[in-house]
Structure formats: C-alpha cells, structure tokens
Amino acid sequence: FALATASPTQVLGETWDGQGWVQETTGKVLFAMGKSYYVCSASVASESIGDRSIILTAGHCVFDNKTGKFATNWMFIPDYDSNAVTLTRDGSFCPNTAYGCWTATSLVVHKGFASQRKFNAQATLYDFAFAAVLDGGNTNAQLDTTVGSQAIAFSPVDTDADTYLFGYPAATPYTGKDLIYSQGLLGLDPLNKNQTYRIASDMTGGSSGGPWFTPFSDGSGEGTMMSVNSYGYTGITAMHGPKFNTNTQTLLTSAATATTNTIVP
C-alpha cells in the first residue's frame, strides 16, 4: 500500500516571523495615479543587468486601465517591516527605513493589460509588471546586491503545489505595516475559466503585486516566484494571480534595457 502524503498547513494570513531572504526582498510600493497616492507590494527579481535591478509587481500597480496612463513617483521600500515608518508623498521617510527608497526609472507592462480600459478577465491574465531601478536607497549600491533577489519561473505550475504568498495588506483587518503571508495548495479560479491561479487567503488591498512562491524554503526565505497577488472576489476567501509565461519573460527582457515607461506588444 502507498503512504498518504500529508497536506501542507493552510495559512490564510499571518505575520511572517521567519525573517530570511523573503523579508528583505519583499517590499512596499508607494506611487501616484493622477493626484491620488496608493500602496502595493513587490519583490526584487533575480535578473539584473549592468547598473539596474528589476522589481516584480502587479500590472495594476504600475498602470491605470481607466486612464491609460502609467503611475508616477513610483517608489519601492524593501524590508518595510523592519521599520514601518509613516509614508509621505515627498519621500521624507526614506532615510528612516531599513534600506531606503528605490525610485523606478522605467515601468514595463504588457499590451494585453494596457489595452484594456477596465480591470476585466483579459487584464487578469496579464496582471504582472516590472520596474527597473538604478542605484539608490541608503547607499549607492544596486538594490539586488543590497537586499538579495528571488528567482522567477515562466512555465505553468501544477495544481496542489504547496505555495506561499507574501504582501503588505493595508485594508482591515491589516495595517499595511507587517509582512503577511498565506500558505496553501495551489488551485485555479473556476470563475475565470481556470486561466488564473487561486490560493485560500484573506489578504486585503495593499497586498497586490506581492510574490507567490513554489517551491519555497521557510527556513532561508528563498524560493521561485511564479505569480503575484492580483485580485479577489467579495465573499470568497481567496487570492488570485496570473500564470507566468513567455509574455512575462518578454516583459523581464524589456525591463532589462528600457529607459522609459514601456508597453510591450
């Protein structure tokens, strides 16, 4: 007879106390859409070229479907959890954070997302983006050499894989000041024709763009990113995310050389 495989622990949303690499590479994002400021989450990607580092986040954290315009004043604060200071529009808080603020020199999103004038089913399939940053923070070193980085996979992941989600949810019951994680078996969203991933989670607004990992080591805090926090449904305790694929890889390649905000065909 065969031994049954134990199911992983399910975590809907708890403070991450494991420290490790994931705490430093996952950060909070502050940006403007028009005259309003918003927060998201993001993570440092493993790919860096020359004098730039690459940050992974959600498409709706860099581009406004309704107006067809990119975000402005886009700042990434790695390891925000270590010193969760109050954010201000002028960035005066930056010297008081663990590693300072890193301002995007270019934001890169896919046409499949940018072509939509509302966050619809097609937009969810392309709700990933990259931001390129040069030197910054509290030193003149590159971001990835300062806090580390995480690997990315660009092929579909089997369902039932043990998966970890991270982010800085800011809406009740969360405060936006703690790095929160969810853990569970990877599934698909039946309400989106199984075209996107689904994990049981109670993370709220502000966690968008935070990384999904499988596999993941809760000891070292290192893993492989294969999606990001994207959307949820009222009344359903789950987070959903796009499936990374060749389109995601094309975006990353573009971000490695982009000198301005870019919509990739």
Side-chain angles (χ1 to χ4, degrees):
F1 61 93
L3 294 176
T5 302
S7 299
T9 302
Q10 183 180 76
V11 178
L12 294 181
E14 295 182 6
T15 296
W16 176 252
D17 293 324
Q19 307 299 317
W21 215 335
V22 70
Q23 178 164 319
E24 295 190 348
T25 57
T26 306
K28 195 176 183 76
V29 177
L30 176 67
F31 61 95
M33 291 288 193
K35 295 182 179 179
S36 300
Y37 275 74
Y38 301 91
V39 292
C40 272
S41 303
S43 183
V44 186
S46 61
E47 306 294 333
S48 64
I49 296 179
D51 61 351
R52 69 179 59 200
S53 299
I54 307 299
I55 299 168
L56 168 69
T57 189
H60 70 269
C61 295
V62 308
F63 190 88
D64 187 351
N65 289 111
K66 185 176 181 179
T67 64
K69 295 182 179 180
F70 279 94
T72 58
N73 300 334
W74 200 95
M75 294 187 294
F76 175 69
I77 308 107
D79 193 7
Y80 177 71
D81 187 293
S82 287
N83 191 16
V85 298
T86 300
L87 304 183
T88 57
R89 296 185 178 190
D90 62 4
S92 58
F93 64 88
C94 292
N96 299 320
T97 62
Y99 295 103
C101 299
W102 303 72
T103 303
T105 56
S106 56
L107 302 171
V108 182
V109 70
H110 197 277
K111 183 179 179 180
F113 182 87
S115 63
Q116 305 304 297
R117 285 299 163 261
K118 61 181 179 180
F119 191 74
N120 55 21
Q122 176 174 319
T124 65
L125 308 185
Y126 298 90
D127 194 24
F128 39 74
F130 293 98
V133 298
L134 302 181
D135 57 20
N138 291 337
T139 70
N140 288 323
Q142 284 189 199
L143 173 61
D144 58 332
T145 57
T146 300
V147 302
S149 60
Q150 302 281 3
I152 309 179
F154 300 107
S155 55
V157 177
D158 292 336
T159 56
D160 290 336
D162 188 17
T163 306
Y164 286 71
L165 287 58
F166 291 86
Y168 283 93
T172 305
Y174 301 105
T175 65
K177 294 186 175 182
D178 296 322
L179 180 61
I180 302 297
Y181 83 103
S182 300
Q183 178 191 1
L185 297 178
L186 184 67
L188 301 174
D189 180 7
L191 300 179
N192 202 14
K193 299 180 180 179
N194 293 332
Q195 297 180 101
T196 47
Y197 294 131
R198 177 178 181 174
I199 290 285
S201 172
D202 65 3
M203 284 198 206
T204 58
S207 64
S208 292
W212 293 31
F213 293 93
T214 186
F216 179 77
S217 169
D218 56 9
S220 65
E222 185 178 5
T224 299
M225 301 185 290
M226 32 61 73
S227 188
V228 293
N229 297 325
S230 175
Y231 67 96
Y233 298 103
T234 300
I236 298 177
T237 306
M239 180 64 72
H240 304 79
K243 297 178 181 179
F244 285 2
N245 51 32
T246 55
N247 291 317
T248 320
Q249 190 169 23
T250 298
L251 278 195
L252 179 59
T253 300
S254 178
T257 58
T259 57
T260 187
N261 293 339
T262 304
I263 298 174
V264 175

